[in-house]
């Protein structure tokens, strides 16, 4: 019974993460006449990271550039780092969403987007059931 509830929770969390990613992609593509926020003129090296508090367990990460998400599932531990992803010239944004189970109600989860070795964006969550996301426009 408890395993069934955990499975349902994980499925629900995955749906929330995927929805967050899709909303991020959709809002990043909204029309904007400002030339400063146009596509990147060159490629970038992007790394996504997640850091959870002690006793927490990172389970699922969805990350990507523009409309190309990648899902990393069956994760465990308090830290996760994606492989380095090279964006194409003209890429618009990078997104990450991570789900974790905390040790207790005071647990925390932080997600980060690193571009060319520099921290560009961070998102956080707290509680026992953790879901954090971040989006960065190049």
């Amino acid at each position: 019974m408890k395993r069934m509830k955990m499975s349902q929770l994980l499925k629900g969390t995955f749906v929330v993460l995927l929805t967050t990613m899709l909303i991020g992609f959709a809002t990043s593509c909204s029309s904007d006449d400002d030339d400063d926020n146009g596509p990147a003129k060159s490629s970038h090296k992007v790394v996504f990271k997640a850091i959870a508090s002690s006793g927490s367990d990172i389970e699922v990460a969805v990350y990507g550039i523009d409309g190309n998400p990648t899902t990393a599932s069956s994760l465990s531990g308090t830290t996760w780092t994606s492989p380095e992803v090279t964006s194409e010239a003209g890429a618009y944004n990078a997104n990450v969403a991570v789900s974790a189970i905390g040790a207790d109600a005071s647990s925390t989860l932080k997600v980060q987007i690193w571009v060319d070795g520099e921290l560009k964006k961070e998102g956080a969550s707290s509680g026992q059931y953790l879901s954090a996301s971040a989006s960065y426009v190049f």
Side-chain angles (χ1 to χ4, degrees):
M1 182 82 167
K2 187 173 183 179
R3 187 157 185 80
M4 190 168 119
K5 286 183 183 180
M6 185 61 78
S7 176
Q8 289 174 332
L9 175 66
L10 291 176
K11 286 178 185 177
T13 301
F14 181 73
V15 169
V16 169
L17 288 173
L18 196 56
T19 302
T20 301
M21 291 292 289
L22 292 174
I23 290 171
F25 291 138
T27 58
S28 69
C29 295
S30 64
S31 62
D32 185 358
D33 294 334
D34 188 358
D35 290 338
D36 293 340
N37 290 334
K41 307 257 187 279
S42 61
S43 65
H44 296 281
K45 303 288 186 187
V46 182
V47 176
F48 304 93
K49 296 183 179 184
I51 304 155
S53 57
S54 179
S56 299
D57 201 26
I58 296 172
E59 297 185 331
V60 178
V62 181
Y63 61 96
I65 296 173
D66 288 342
N68 300 309
T70 299
T71 301
S73 58
S74 300
L75 304 173
S76 63
T78 58
T79 62
W80 167 80
T81 302
S82 74
E84 184 176 81
V85 179
T86 301
S87 71
E88 295 180 13
Y92 190 79
N93 71 340
N95 294 285
V96 62
V98 177
S99 171
I101 302 292
D104 54 40
S106 64
S107 297
T108 59
L109 173 65
K110 181 170 41 175
V111 294
Q112 301 174 330
I113 300 174
W114 292 77
V115 179
D116 298 327
E118 184 178 332
L119 177 61
K120 293 292 187 176
K121 200 69 171 190
E122 202 167 58
S125 175
S126 62
Q128 186 161 9
Y129 302 102
L130 303 159
S131 178
S133 63
S135 182
Y136 174 72
V137 177
F138 295 109

